[in-house]
Amino acid sequence: MQIKVTKGAAESATLAVDLVAGALRAKPDLNFGLATGATMVGVYLELVHRHQIGELSFAKTKAYLLDDYVGLDADDPRAFASVVEEKFCDLVDIRSESVVAPNSQATDLEAEANKYETLVCEAQIDFQLLGIGRNGHIGFNEPGTAFDSKTRLACLSLQTRQDNAGFFSSVDKVPKRAITQGIGTILRAKKIVLIANGAHKATAIRDAVCGFPSEASPASALQNHSDVTVIADREAASMLNSC
Ligand code: F6R
C-alpha cells in the first residue's frame, strides 16, 4: 500500500485525479470504477475541470459503478447512478452507453447482482476509485463481510444510514439496502485508489492501513492487493503515526 498524506480535501482530489490522468494516458480505453459519496464530489469536480481544460478525455473510457441504493425511484437525484450522471458523465465526453451500473429497480435483485458481478469481472476494472465509511466499509460492504464476497444485495448498517442521513430528510428515509460489488470483486481491480478526508475517517484509515486484516475492517482487505494507493488528508491520517 502506498500512503499519501495531503493538506486537505482539495489536494486529495488533485492527487487522485493525477493518478487517473496517468492511467488514462497509459490506456485511454480505461475500465474506470466509480464510487460516490461526499468524498467523491471534489474528485468529480477536478475530473470535469481537467476535461474542460483539454487535459483529459473519457471518449474511449467505460465506467462501472461500485454500488447503488435499492428502493429509490430510478430518477431520484440521490440514486448513485443519477449522482454520477449529473456530476461527471453529463459534463465530460464519456459516451452514455459506456456508463454501466447495477439496475436497482430490477424485480429480481439477486439475479441482477449476479449479472453485474459477471459484467464487472469480465470487464476487468483497470482503475477503481474508493471512499471509505466511518466504520471501514468499502462499497456497501459493512464490517463482517467476507473478503471474498461478490456483488450482491447488502444491508446498510445503522451507522452508515446515519452517516448518509444528510442526503435525505431523516435517517428513516435512507434506504436500508443496496446492490454493491463485493470485497472480492473490488480486489480484482488492477489499481485501487482510496480517498479519505476528515478526522471522522481516522480510525477507519488506521484499521485499514495498519490493523491486522480482519472482517471487522472491510477496507483492511486492501492490504491483500498489490496496487493500492491511500490518499488521506492530515486529519484522516492522524492515527497512522501510532501504527
Ligand atoms: C459510495 C460508497 C461508499 C462511500 C463511503 C464514504 O459509492 O461505496 O463506500 O465511498 O460511504 O462516503 P463519504 O465520502 O460520503 O464519506
Side-chain angles (χ1 to χ4, degrees):
M1 252 183 197
Q2 265 203 298
I3 320 292
K4 295 184 186 288
V5 180
T6 69
K7 293 195 196 74
E11 192 186 346
S12 296
T14 304
L15 257 177
V17 173
D18 286 346
L19 294 176
V20 176
L24 270 173
R25 264 194 302 276
K27 189 172 185 280
D29 59 340
L30 195 74
N31 284 327
F32 189 18
L34 302 179
T36 45
T39 311
M40 292 302 142
V41 173
V43 177
Y44 289 126
L45 275 172
E46 184 63 18
L47 284 169
V48 169
H49 169 67
R50 302 266 190 112
H51 167 71
Q52 286 169 342
I53 61 172
E55 194 185 305
L56 293 184
S57 168
F58 302 91
K60 295 184 177 160
T61 303
K62 258 194 149 187
Y64 295 83
L65 264 68
L66 188 59
D67 47 15
D68 209 342
Y69 289 125
V70 166
L72 299 179
D73 289 339
D75 58 354
D76 190 305
R78 295 158 305 189
F80 290 166
S82 309
V83 171
V84 162
E85 193 176 289
E86 185 203 322
K87 299 208 179 300
F88 177 57
C89 300
D90 283 354
L91 307 176
V92 298
D93 58 348
I94 194 164
R95 297 178 328 159
S96 55
E97 61 272 28
S98 297
V99 184
V100 190
N103 175 13
S104 50
Q105 309 294 317
T107 31
D108 186 343
L109 291 164
E110 303 282 359
E112 173 62 19
N114 291 338
K115 199 172 106 191
Y116 197 61
E117 169 76 11
T118 305
L119 213 137
V120 168
C121 292
E122 280 177 5
Q124 167 83 92
I125 303 298
D126 295 301
F127 188 108
Q128 178 67 54
L129 282 173
L130 283 185
I132 183 170
R134 188 195 292 261
N135 63 4
H137 72 227
I138 48 174
F140 276 130
N141 296 289
E142 301 286 21
T145 305
F147 282 2
D148 62 355
S149 53
K150 297 192 160 99
T151 304
R152 69 200 186 287
L153 190 57
C155 291
L156 275 57
S157 69
L158 179 60
Q159 163 100 78
T160 297
R161 294 180 60 237
Q162 284 166 341
D163 287 346
N164 284 287
F167 295 106
F168 295 83
S169 50
S170 74
V171 68
D172 303 329
K173 298 277 190 285
V174 181
K176 295 191 169 69
R177 297 184 304 165
I179 292 182
T180 183
Q181 288 184 30
I183 296 177
T185 323
I186 294 169
L187 292 177
R188 294 171 75 116
K190 289 186 196 156
K191 179 173 187 62
I192 298 175
V193 174
L194 182 145
I195 306 148
N197 300 310
H200 61 302
K201 300 288 175 75
T203 312
I205 286 296
R206 180 201 59 198
D207 294 347
V209 172
C210 36
F212 187 77
S214 140
E215 287 175 8
S217 161
S220 67
L222 299 173
Q223 293 179 31
N224 299 334
H225 191 282
S226 59
D227 190 355
V228 174
T229 303
V230 173
I231 300 175
D233 75 356
R234 278 181 194 143
E235 292 184 332
S238 60
M239 292 174 83
L240 292 181
N241 294 339
S242 53
C243 288

